[in-house]
Amino acid sequence: MRANLLLMACLLGAALQARTAELVVMVDSTANMPMARVENGRLVDGLHKEIGEILARHMGRQVRFVMLPRKRLEHALQGGEADLLCAYMPEWLTGDYLWSRVVFTTEEVLVTDTRGPPVHAIAELRGQPVGTILGYLHPEMDALLGKDFVRDNAPNMESNMEKLMRGRVRHILITRVVLDYYQRIRQQPLAIYPPLSVMSFATRCAVSRKGHVALEEIDQAIGQALKDGSLASMLTRLH
């Protein structure tokens, strides 16, 4: 009997140790490339996958991805269903999180198709529909345009670009890394004016206060990944 209890205790200890050796990364299941490619509910490619794998490798952990739709991410992360959510900014999320050091820096740009006049300043967009993604915040546009910021929401960026291509909207907001990726892989690149910079931003990881990984460990892994160039080479491959 005593031997059985000892065996059970050892097995339980091993299971708990295996759990704490994981890095659980939350990913928006509605995201598109280059951020994420999801097949049959599994994350198979993209920036979120590479960031998770890079950080887990530097932390000596096994990575596990939790896929949830955008509207459920914040509640789940606050509840400790994952350790972190990367490539975000504090302004984009509500709730109480710890925030890591910068993972990578990119730029949000306004893209306008060439079937009409170009846009030279954000103020020219007052009252004009701008393609955005449902659930994503754009505080810089709100600050510049206020109630005259007219959003035309789409479920994801591919839908946004499809609306632009078909002339349903003339403008969309998009990050530079995503725009560069799609212009490179599309058989027929979007016919657009040179993008207008809206803001530059530094993305970080939102770290759950109820997760199993300390912020210091995540920051150390990011620092190592920046030093050895693995994060920089990731962005180069996706461009």
Side-chain angles (χ1 to χ4, degrees):
M1 181 67 177
R2 181 178 177 84
N4 288 339
L5 289 174
L6 286 173
L7 177 60
M8 290 176 63
C10 290
L11 291 174
L12 179 60
L16 290 173
Q17 184 176 9
R19 181 175 178 80
T20 58
E22 283 187 328
L23 176 67
V24 185
V25 179
M26 189 163 287
V27 178
D28 181 355
S29 60
T30 64
N32 299 118
M33 286 293 286
M35 305 307 294
R37 177 177 289 122
V38 180
E39 295 179 357
N40 299 319
R42 292 181 59 252
L43 182 65
V44 298
D45 198 3
L47 191 146
H48 286 300
K49 183 173 185 289
E50 293 215 34
I51 291 175
E53 290 173 343
I54 288 169
L55 295 185
R57 184 170 67 250
H58 283 91
M59 296 164 73
R61 293 172 177 263
Q62 296 294 315
V63 66
R64 176 165 62 88
F65 296 102
V66 175
M67 312 297 297
L68 286 175
R70 176 68 176 82
K71 63 183 179 180
R72 293 178 56 196
L73 291 178
E74 297 181 43
H75 179 75
L77 187 63
Q78 289 184 77
E81 294 182 36
D83 298 312
L84 72 167
L85 172 67
C86 289
Y88 281 75
M89 291 178 63
E91 294 83 355
W92 296 351
L93 297 176
T94 58
D96 184 22
Y97 313 99
L98 301 170
W99 284 93
S100 76
R101 62 187 294 180
V102 173
V103 178
F104 68 89
T105 300
T106 187
E107 182 183 25
E108 183 175 70
V109 295
L110 178 83
V111 167
T112 299
D113 73 45
T114 56
R115 283 171 282 196
V119 173
H120 302 289
I122 297 299
E124 298 174 22
L125 295 172
R126 293 187 183 279
Q128 295 188 42
V130 178
T132 53
I133 297 177
L134 183 66
Y136 280 73
L137 302 178
H138 298 279
E140 70 289 349
M141 297 292 289
D142 291 325
L144 290 168
L145 298 178
K147 66 180 184 306
D148 293 321
F149 176 33
V150 181
R151 298 180 57 136
D152 190 316
N153 286 325
N156 53 54
M157 189 51 69
E158 285 186 349
S159 299
N160 236 357
M161 288 186 289
E162 186 71 15
K163 289 194 302 184
L164 185 75
M165 186 182 70
R166 295 183 179 277
R168 292 176 53 195
V169 293
R170 286 208 58 233
H171 322 282
I172 64 171
L173 290 170
I174 188 170
T175 57
R176 175 76 69 172
V177 65
V178 175
L179 175 64
D180 290 347
Y181 172 82
Y182 275 102
Q183 290 294 77
R184 177 173 61 82
I185 68 167
R186 289 176 70 96
Q187 288 187 337
Q188 183 178 355
L190 296 170
I192 57 176
Y193 291 108
L196 180 65
S197 178
V198 177
M199 67 172 290
S200 294
F201 57 90
T203 70
R204 304 171 184 268
C205 296
V207 182
S208 176
R209 292 184 180 274
K210 295 184 178 180
H212 299 88
V213 181
L215 175 63
E216 292 76 11
E217 187 179 0
I218 294 168
D219 278 343
Q220 183 178 18
I222 294 172
Q224 292 170 347
L226 291 170
K227 185 175 181 179
D228 68 16
S230 51
L231 286 174
S233 62
M234 169 196 73
L235 292 173
T236 301
R237 286 194 305 275
L238 290 173
H239 271 67

